[in-house]
Amino acid sequence: MPVNPTIQFYLNQFQNQISTTYDQLDPLELRRQEDAMMTRFQHKEHMHDVEERLIALPGRSLPIRIYRSGRTIAPALVYFHGGGYVTGSLDTHDAICRTIANEADCTVISVGYRLAPEHKFPTAVYDSYEALVWIADHASELEIDAERIAVGGDSAGGTLATVSALMAIERGRPLVMHQLLFYPVTGTEENLPLSLIDYANGYLLDEGLIRWFQQQYFRDESELMHPYASPIFSGHLGDLPPTTLLTAEYDPLRDLGRAYANKLISLGVPVTYHNYGGLIHGFVNYYAYVPEARRAVKEAAQALGHAFHTQKTRP
């Protein structure tokens, strides 16, 4: 299946507006450009209630945005946006959070973790995990069910979601009942997965941009092997909760996501995995204009809703 024509139009627009000379790329300028592009492609669904908060964590405060679908004491998805740990915000992922909340009939809480290069690895990891703990500890105040909390995210946010779940296992809290992961960056046990070769250029997230993101976030390449950067190396994968994991056909990270899904399955974790044809990395940000992306997002949200209403919480 060829790349979806609407996505190809987006790719052409992106290539015309952003420099590919990555050694001269300014992180702040990239944030500005991506924010402008990504918000253009959003279609915001109506919500029962949207609330902004600033939560106090040790030594800093983080913004969160709470999307309520209308239910009182609802299950909750704690969502971490993508953007290579360098870009992305509560605003760039506003539409996807609204859709998931409505489709899954749950509350979605989006977390504004701190970005690189101002804040290097593992700052985003601890921001994400400690925000998850804060949310669980304040479940009653937030009107969510503390026994039905899931984590989710796209790309780097998917990594932060699954790493937060791993940290919750390591530290004994909080209870995480499900993972919803869109094309996460999970690391690889292979030398060079095929998708990193076949789609190294021309599909939005190219080889040079991947390296540039890594240079902004990590101090040196050795940190890439840490389980909080590449969770496939964690010794606690078999203890993770049931997982919904989606990848895209034309994504250089496709095979990393597939390998992570297979690793979890081999360790006995229930996994729903689907690779969507015609789509590229980042499809959640323009799902409203691409039927295949819309179907992927809705199917993922419905899987989450099903888990919330049928899955038994773990002891």
Side-chain angles (χ1 to χ4, degrees):
M1 178 184 296
V3 175
N4 177 276
T6 302
I7 291 178
Q8 189 61 60
F9 171 80
Y10 174 81
L11 287 174
N12 295 340
Q13 293 293 307
F14 186 83
Q15 293 300 330
N16 289 336
Q17 293 191 32
I18 190 168
S19 168
T20 54
T21 308
Y22 296 116
D23 59 350
Q24 299 177 3
L25 190 58
D26 179 1
L28 296 181
E29 177 61 16
L30 180 61
R31 285 178 202 162
R32 186 195 67 78
Q33 292 183 16
E34 287 206 354
D35 282 359
M37 286 293 294
M38 291 167 72
T39 52
R40 274 179 55 196
F41 283 85
Q42 293 199 56
H43 172 73
K44 298 183 179 182
E45 295 185 9
H46 173 74
M47 293 301 306
H48 174 76
D49 180 58
V50 178
E51 179 185 357
E52 307 269 355
R53 284 202 184 195
L54 199 63
I55 63 173
L57 300 179
R60 79 279 196 202
S61 297
L62 297 180
I64 63 171
R65 186 173 294 169
I66 307 163
Y67 302 84
R68 297 186 176 92
S69 61
R71 297 175 29 146
T72 302
I73 314 301
L77 173 71
V78 181
Y79 194 87
F80 305 99
H81 66 77
Y85 309 105
V86 177
T87 69
S89 66
L90 300 184
D91 291 335
T92 59
H93 288 65
D94 184 74
I96 186 66
C97 290
R98 290 169 179 261
T99 295
I100 293 174
N102 283 333
E103 290 290 333
D105 191 20
C106 70
T107 293
V108 173
I109 303 177
S110 183
V111 176
Y113 57 89
R114 290 174 292 175
L115 300 174
E118 299 94 323
H119 303 282
K120 297 282 191 179
F121 174 83
T123 298
V125 171
Y126 285 97
D127 281 357
S128 301
Y129 170 69
E130 290 177 21
L132 172 64
V133 171
W134 188 96
I135 289 165
D137 287 348
H138 293 79
S140 178
E141 174 187 342
L142 296 170
E143 298 182 319
I144 61 173
D145 185 347
E147 295 189 353
R148 290 189 295 165
I149 294 177
V151 294
D154 59 290
S155 192
T159 311
L160 294 173
T162 196
V163 168
S164 293
L166 287 167
M167 293 180 73
I169 293 165
E170 293 170 358
R171 300 175 183 217
R173 62 190 289 262
L175 175 69
V176 175
M177 67 166 295
H178 199 86
Q179 300 186 107
L180 176 61
L181 309 177
F182 296 96
Y183 38 84
V185 189
T186 52
T188 177
E189 296 175 306
E190 302 177 41
N191 288 329
L192 193 62
L194 189 61
S195 62
L196 283 168
I197 300 171
D198 289 346
Y199 309 119
N201 293 288
Y203 298 95
L204 184 62
L205 182 67
D206 64 24
E207 182 182 16
L209 188 56
I210 291 172
R211 286 199 303 270
W212 184 85
F213 279 135
Q214 290 173 346
Q215 291 166 0
Q216 305 309 305
Y217 184 49
F218 298 106
R219 292 175 179 83
D220 58 68
E221 289 190 2
S222 67
E223 291 182 332
L224 282 165
M225 304 300 292
H226 195 289
Y228 291 176
S230 297
I232 199 166
F233 297 118
S234 172
H236 298 281
L237 295 182
D239 298 317
L240 283 169
T243 300
T244 301
L245 197 156
L246 283 66
T247 56
E249 180 182 4
Y250 294 99
D251 182 356
L253 303 182
R254 179 198 65 200
D255 292 350
L256 276 66
R258 177 181 292 154
Y260 193 60
N262 288 336
K263 185 72 175 282
L264 297 185
I265 291 169
S266 73
L267 294 170
V269 177
V271 175
T272 299
Y273 170 75
H274 197 102
N275 180 58
Y276 286 87
L279 299 182
I280 65 169
H281 191 87
F283 67 75
V284 301
N285 296 105
Y286 39 82
Y287 74 92
Y289 302 92
V290 180
E292 293 86 352
R294 185 180 310 123
R295 178 169 66 89
V297 169
K298 287 184 177 289
E299 288 178 356
Q302 289 164 5
L304 175 65
H306 180 76
F308 276 143
H309 295 101
T310 63
Q311 187 177 305
K312 292 182 179 178
T313 55
R314 297 173 301 149

